[in-house]
Amino acid sequence: MTESPTTPPEKALAPSEKTLEPSETTLAPSEKDIDPSENSLEPSNIIFRKQSNAREIWRRFRKNRNAMIGLVLFVIVFLACFVAPLFISYGKVTKQDIRHRFASPTISHPLGTDHFGRDELARLLYGGRTTMAIGLIAAALSLLVGGSLGMLAAYYDRLDNPVMRLIDVLASIPPILMALAIVSALGTNLQNVVLAIAIARMPAFCRVIRAAVLSVSDQEYIEAARAGGTSDLRILTKHVIPNCLGTIIVQTTMNMSLLMLAAASLSFIGMGVQPPAPEWGAMLSEAREYMLQATSLMVLPGLGIVLVTTQLNLIGDGLRDAFDPKLKN
Amino acid sequence: MIKYIIKRIILIVPILLGVSFLVFTILSFTPGDPATIILGNGAEQEAVEQLNEELGYNRPFLERYFTYIGNIVTGLDFGFSYRTRQPIREELVKRLPISFKLAFFAVVVACLIGIPVGILTAVKQYTVFDTGPTLTALLFAAFPTFWLGMILLYVFSLKLGLLPSYGAVSWYHFILPVLGLGLPEAATLMRFTRSSMLETVRQDYIRTARSKGAPERRVIWRHAFKNALIPIVTIVGVDFAALMGDACATEVLYSMPGLCTMIINGIRQKDVPSVMGATLLLTALCALVVLLVDIIYAYIDPRIAAKYSGRRG
């Protein structure tokens, strides 16, 4: 009942949805089984709305050519970096072969070797895995902490001022300096790098999600839920978060590319992932000294960073337009 | 107007105090005590303890913090380096101009390229003048500054031998770092200018200006650009502040003796006062730049000044 205000515009946007109805309702019972007590009063139409909404967003996203190119390329790079290491042993990444340093591409080394004679392809794939994993985990962490803070600040008036002043202070420190200070105190290892860049990015998540929650929380359906005696926890999880999901997803995608860049630049200045562990930023840092001997060592990791960040930005732009077609210019 | 400026200046004090407290707290987690770092691991226990006592390391945390801040506020005294035993202030004064120049000229480059091209793409939307720059900007915006810097270094100093590859002695040394830092920024600024202009061009007052027969040039510059400028100025200020931090990788790449390299060397040598001093100075500068932008903003946007002038509000 409380969700009804949002339902009509969704339907108006997508007349084709009527045809999907039968198949959707068949899916509903299985969903209901998972949570019979909660949805007993609000039958399958809620689940139907959510699924069709996702479908509608996917349909709009699919029509966006740039975003689809970004998504397809991203999936390819992502799979290459996360699946290929299952077939290439880590030993290949660190095995040195000084006699064959700076070798040209051969069958055993498809992209040649680096300054220690290590296989460049293996290092690139493992390096990409590290860079992307750091970006992903840090984005999740930053979203979880920063986003929750923003949500609570927006939902509870009492918390708004103290939380946001704290965030103002955090935000006045340039992210990279913040990350450097944290790494300096805790030491340079993978977990600390993730922690450092996640904390440094927190203010951005907090502010955006606070704004999104603020714009949702004075809507009538929230008021109605509150009037009906729904608990705060339930209002937040069932009404506020689903309605801010667009902002959350778009922000996370966009920030993931920034976090990957942050991780790479920390490693580049020698304060992130430490050699010999492969990471795109660290690999670039190592390649600095051999720019003239082996240009490809300096080109490939950088290309990797640019490709993945561009793809994430394209996907983010596409998602933003898909979630809110009004914003498109 | 003056009321607004005073209010903004007063607001910056708690922010700076908060920032310094936060940085001080984080860095106080650095393992090891100063005396061991200064005297080395082989030093005698008594000497270590005596030096720690002298440095005030054994006093309570809050007391140490207030002493540190007090010294900065009253005498611009940032303490002594653990390594060189020289005052941090001298080092900061030497390095500040380099970091500042780098960020400043990068922002100038970004504005000179980003804003005009952004306007061009917005005015010529859906033509080659739009898609070309927009696609280029999309790519450049994703460039890590240090990678672009490496490419510029490779082409212009290693291959062509035109420009120096390290140091910060003359303006000559600044060309490559400034470009490496400024071009990705220009791309971001261009994308922002474009969307801000597109937003403005759709407003009613632009249609009014066109329909009353104002020449196109006047519509674009006088009516559209002036209004689109307001958000752009904010972004430029925020980016300038961010660039001073982002310059880290650039300073390292070109071995420029700026504040960021001071922080990194400080971390490597466990020289906490250096890290603290440089971080605080950079952060304070960023906050001041943002403050300055807010004040400029009030000059550009009469609505803000009106809010604080009382009667008209």
Side-chain angles (χ1 to χ4, degrees), chain B residues 26-57:
Chain B
I26 294 172
L27 287 178
S28 71
F29 283 106
T30 312
D33 56 308
T36 315
I37 294 165
I38 295 168
L39 300 171
N41 278 327
E44 275 183 42
Q45 193 63 35
E46 275 164 36
V48 167
E49 266 163 31
Q50 200 195 335
L51 189 57
N52 271 339
E53 194 62 45
E54 258 173 56
L55 291 167
Y57 180 72

Side-chain angles (χ1 to χ4, degrees), chain A residues 172 176 185 291 295 298-299 329, chain B residues 15 26 147 153-154 202 245 283:
Chain A
S172 333
I176 194 107
M291 279 201 253
T295 317
M298 133 197 162
V299 173
N329 47 39
Chain B
I15 295 267
I26 294 172
W147 193 48
L153 190 108
Y154 176 76
R202 276 198 229 127
T283 311

Side-chain angles (χ1 to χ4, degrees), chain B residues 218-237:
Chain B
R218 200 181 150 83
V219 172
I220 297 298
W221 289 103
R222 183 102 189 197
H223 297 268
F225 179 61
K226 260 186 105 172
N227 281 292
L229 194 63
I230 293 164
I232 295 172
V233 169
T234 322
I235 287 291
V236 169

Side-chain angles (χ1 to χ4, degrees), chain A residues 176 260-272 279 281, chain B residues 144-146 249:
Chain A
I176 194 107
M260 276 181 45
L261 276 181
S265 48
L266 261 191
S267 303
F268 181 79
I269 57 185
M271 292 291 142
E279 197 277 342
Chain B
T145 51
F146 52 89

Side-chain angles (χ1 to χ4, degrees), chain A residues 307-318:
Chain A
L307 266 179
V308 176
T309 41
T310 316
Q311 290 155 1
L312 283 172
N313 287 341
L314 284 174
I315 297 172
D317 279 342

Side-chain angles (χ1 to χ4, degrees), chain A residues 269-317:
Chain A
I269 57 185
M271 292 291 142
V273 178
Q274 300 293 318
E279 197 277 342
W280 283 344
M283 286 167 74
L284 280 175
S285 174
E286 286 181 77
R288 270 168 68 194
E289 290 166 37
Y290 308 99
M291 279 201 253
L292 284 174
Q293 288 104 311
T295 317
S296 72
L297 293 185
M298 133 197 162
V299 173
L300 294 171
L303 215 55
I305 297 175
V306 171
L307 266 179
V308 176
T309 41
T310 316
Q311 290 155 1
L312 283 172
N313 287 341
L314 284 174
I315 297 172
D317 279 342

